[in-house]
Amino acid sequence: MVLITGGGGSIGSELCRQIARHEPKQLVIFDIYENNAYELMNDLKNTYGNSVDIQVRIGSVRDQKRLDEIFNEFRPSVVFHAAAHKHVPLMEDSPCEAVKNNVFGTINVAKIAIEYGVKRFVNISSDKAVNPANVMGATKRITEMIVQYFERKCKNSTIFAAVRFGNVLGSSGSVIRGTCL
């Protein structure tokens, strides 16, 4: 069973499409925004019919109680953590929201993954985490450090990993607007 946080977003939805091709027993799309998650669910059901059990649950990675409900209901063996605020200019204007969602959300999902015996946890990071020049990049670098911490801490249980994605075609807000001199 595979669970993808932020499953309705630009990166999460593509992960869902790629994973669905391998026909997992169950694929859970977890997202805070119901419209994208619903459209993705319908698209995947049209493509794969009943060969993949596709479930959608709405909630936030900030909400520990909701995460517990989801993990208790589905008992995932693999988690792809793609939920994050990724819009660079907006996160410059709302840095506390970036920290709450990206940093504390990652901690919440990592802790619950350990609690429920998830075998593999993959954090989806960003190329902007390399020498971060903006709030979003800094928060994604912190998520990588969180994953490294849990990987050291959980030597014989959950395997933690992080992968960095570059600019994603079709996504929005990947750069800070500049001015001409």
Side-chain angles (χ1 to χ4, degrees), residues 1-3 71 74-80 109-110 112-122 150-151 154-161:
M1 203 296 287
V2 179
L3 181 139
F71 277 69
F74 293 106
R75 306 282 175 163
S77 57
V78 178
V79 172
F80 287 89
V109 179
I112 201 87
I114 295 166
E115 183 179 330
Y116 279 89
V118 169
K119 291 180 180 146
R120 295 186 186 272
F121 178 103
V122 180
F150 281 113
E151 175 59 23
C154 304
K155 292 181 179 165
N156 295 322
S157 59
T158 304
I159 296 170
F160 283 87

Side-chain angles (χ1 to χ4, degrees), residues 42-49 51:
N42 287 334
D43 182 46
L44 292 173
K45 285 186 176 187
N46 286 336
T47 302
Y48 297 100
S51 64

Side-chain angles (χ1 to χ4, degrees), residues 74-110:
F74 293 106
R75 306 282 175 163
S77 57
V78 178
V79 172
F80 287 89
H81 177 52
H85 287 321
K86 299 176 185 94
H87 196 288
V88 173
L90 290 179
M91 294 308 98
E92 291 299 303
D93 293 336
S94 300
C96 291
E97 295 305 306
V99 171
K100 284 192 284 189
N101 197 67
N102 297 359
V103 175
F104 293 111
T106 299
I107 292 169
N108 290 344
V109 179

